[in-house]
Amino acid sequence: MSDPIVIVGGGVIGTTCAYYLTKAGESVVLIDQGDIGQACSRGNCGYVCPSHVLPLAAPGAIGSTLKTMLQKNSPLAVRLRFDPSLWGWMLRFALKCNQRDMIDSGHAISAILNHSRTLYGELFEREPIDAEWEQRGLLFVFQTEKAMNHYAETDHLLAEVFGQGAVRYDGAKLTELEPSLKPGIAGGWHYPGDAHLRPDLLMSGLRQIVLQQGGDIREKCQFRQLERDGRRIVAVQTDQGRIPTSRVVMATGAWTPLFAKELGCKVPIQPGKGYSLTMPRPRVCPTIPLIFEEHRVAITPMRDSYRIGSTMEFAGYDATMNPKRLALLRDGAAIYLQEPTAEPVMEQWWGWRPMIYDGKPIIGPSPAWDNLWIAAGHGMLGLSMATGTGQLISELVTGKAPSIDPAPYAVTRF
C-alpha cells in the first residue's frame, strides 16, 4: 500500500480537496496549523456566486481605487510601508487593468465558478450536510441612479460574454422584492443563479465526511518542510513528526508565498484582510443576500443569525483586529437597511484572503517537483470555487481526465 496523499491546509480549499480525494478512494492526511476551517473559511459571507466572474483588475480600476482610497472612510486600505512584494504586486495588477486581460481572466474564473455551482448542488443532494444552503440569488443594490445606470454596462457584459445577466429592479420594485431595504434607494440587479450557505456548517460537515471516508485529519499540526528525493517529495515534516507521502497538495491560502522555497516557485499572493460581524437576525431581516456595491458591504441572512462583511485591507500579515474596519461595515449597512444591525454581536472576525493580481486561482502541479500540486490564490472567491477546485485537484493528482481545462490556472503563467 502506497503512502498517503498529504494535504497541507485545512481551509475550504484543502478540505474539499480531501473530500474528493477520499471519495475517489485515496488515502489522505489533512493537516492544519490550527483547527479545520477556522481561518478565512470561517467568517466569510458564504456566497456561491457565478455572477462574480470579473477580476478586480479591470479598465478604470486604478483610477476608481485611488479615488476610493482618498475617501475618509474607504472600504479599501493599503498600509504604506517598505514592501517590495506588495508594490510589485500592485504594478502587475495595474498592467492587467485592460479589457483583453479582464475578459481572459473572466473566462477562467467563470469556468470554475460555474462548475463549482453545479457541484455544490450535487454535494447537498448526496451528502447529509445541513449548511443552510439557499438558492435565492444575489442582489446588487445601488443607492444612486448614476451608479445604478453605470452598472448596466457591467451587467450587459456579464450577460453577453458570460451568460450571467441579472434582472433589473428600479425604485419601488426593489423594495417590493426586498422589503428590508429603505425606501428611496435607486435600484438593484438580481442574479438568480447565485446561492449562499453558512461557512462554518459547511466546514464541519465536510470534516465529518472526510473522517467517515477514511481520511486522517491532524489539527494544530504545524507544517515545517518537505523532504525530497530528486524531483519527488517523500515526506512532510511537521511539529508532530514526519509523515511519509506519495503526493502532496499545498492548499495554504494567503500563507502560500511564505513557502516559495518548498514549492520550488514564486507565488504572487498578497494577504487582503477582510472583516465580518455576525449577530442575531434583525426584526426586519433581508431574505436575499445583498451587496451594497457603492460602499463595498455585503449582507448574508442565515437561519438564526445575520452577517455583515467585506472591506479590503492590504496590511501584510498583520494579525490585529482593526475596529475602524468593523465600524465601516455597520455604517455602510445603515445607509441601505431599515434595521441594519441587531445585538448582541456574536462574533467579530477577520481573515486573510489570498489575492492574486490576475484574479485566477492557482490549481495545478509545481514546476519543481513531480508529485506536488498547488491549490491557492482564490482571492475573495475561495468558498465559491472550492468544490470545483477540490474535484480538479483530485483528478490531476489521480491522473483522471479533468472536468474543466486546468491550463488557465497553471502556476507557470507567472
Side-chain angles (χ1 to χ4, degrees), residues 173-225:
K173 292 291 184 182
L174 177 66
T175 49
E176 288 179 21
L177 175 69
E178 182 46 78
S180 67
L181 293 165
K182 290 180 177 179
I185 293 173
W189 299 83
H190 183 230
Y191 290 89
D194 290 356
H196 70 286
L197 52 77
R198 201 172 119 178
D200 60 321
L201 295 181
L202 172 69
M203 294 304 300
S204 60
L206 287 172
R207 182 185 187 280
Q208 185 63 29
I209 292 171
V210 168
L211 291 171
Q212 291 171 353
Q213 292 178 165
D216 178 2
I217 294 178
R218 304 184 190 183
E219 297 175 302
K220 296 182 176 61
C221 182
Q222 184 80 41
F223 170 79
R224 291 287 172 79
Q225 63 181 20

Side-chain angles (χ1 to χ4, degrees), residues 266-341:
K266 291 185 178 180
V267 178
I269 290 174
Q270 283 291 320
K273 189 188 287 186
Y275 289 82
S276 73
L277 292 163
T278 304
M279 57 194 71
R281 289 168 60 92
R283 184 181 58 84
V284 181
C285 187
T287 58
I288 302 170
L290 308 168
I291 293 182
F292 306 138
E293 188 72 5
E294 290 158 278
H295 292 83
R296 301 293 196 272
V297 171
I299 304 290
T300 306
M302 301 178 187
R303 190 176 299 161
D304 58 3
S305 58
Y306 166 84
R307 181 164 292 164
I308 310 175
S310 197
T311 81
M312 180 72 75
E313 185 179 24
F314 286 97
Y317 292 96
D318 172 66
T320 60
M321 180 80 73
N322 185 341
K324 292 182 180 179
R325 311 304 291 172
L326 295 173
L328 288 177
L329 299 178
R330 287 179 175 271
D331 294 344
I335 294 169
Y336 297 85
L337 292 168
Q338 295 185 47
E339 293 191 21
T341 58

